[in-house]
């Protein structure tokens, strides 16, 4: 094999390596873009989960307050019923 054919073979190998490096670089860039998009989605879901947790906590607090008020209403109604059911005092 003469020097010229060796140079051509080497040139072909270097070209193939260059093409492989470019293809790999493009693939890595696409993968990086997809990972960035995934990170953004996960971050958004984290924000949504936090908001949902906060809303559930608020609903729980409102429910507890409503139960306290309902207990007061129930007590008042029970007193009213007892007052109504008591016999009238004789005249």
């Amino acid at each position: 094999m003469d020097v010229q054919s060796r140079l051509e073979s080497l040139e072909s190998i270097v070209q193939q390596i260059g093409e492989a490096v470019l293809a790999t670089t493009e693939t890595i860039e696409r993968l990086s873009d997809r990972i960035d998009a995934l990170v953004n989605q996960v971050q958004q879901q984290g924000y949504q989960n936090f908001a949902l947790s906060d809303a559930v906590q608020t609903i729980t607090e409102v429910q507890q307050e409503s139960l306290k008020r309902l207990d007061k209403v129930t007590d008042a109604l029970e007193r009213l019923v007892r007052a109504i059911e008591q016999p009238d005092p004789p005249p």
Side-chain angles (χ1 to χ4, degrees), residues 21 36 58 63 71-72 74 89:
V21 167
D36 285 344
T58 301
Q63 178 69 15
D71 284 343
K72 289 179 182 179
T74 301

Side-chain angles (χ1 to χ4, degrees), residues 5-6 16 18 21 28 33-34 46 51 55-56 58 64 69 82 86 89 91:
S5 356
R6 287 183 180 177
Q16 290 174 1
V21 167
I28 289 172
D33 290 342
R34 289 181 181 177
V56 167
T58 301
Q64 289 173 344
R69 290 180 181 179
R82 281 193 301 269
Q86 285 182 351

Side-chain angles (χ1 to χ4, degrees), residues 15-77:
Q15 183 177 357
Q16 290 174 1
I17 290 172
E19 290 170 358
V21 167
L22 286 175
T24 301
T25 302
E26 290 172 3
T27 300
I28 289 172
E29 287 175 357
R30 285 195 307 268
L31 180 60
S32 175
D33 290 342
R34 289 181 181 177
I35 288 173
D36 285 344
L38 183 59
V39 165
N40 287 336
Q41 288 175 353
V42 168
Q43 189 175 30
Q44 282 297 324
Q45 288 175 350
Y47 294 147
Q48 290 169 349
N49 285 339
F50 177 77
L52 181 60
S53 276
D54 191 48
V56 167
Q57 183 175 351
T58 301
I59 289 171
T60 300
E61 291 169 359
V62 168
Q63 178 69 15
Q64 289 173 344
E65 188 60 34
S66 295
L67 288 174
K68 288 178 188 176
R69 290 180 181 179
L70 186 57
D71 284 343
K72 289 179 182 179
V73 169
T74 301
D75 289 343
L77 288 173

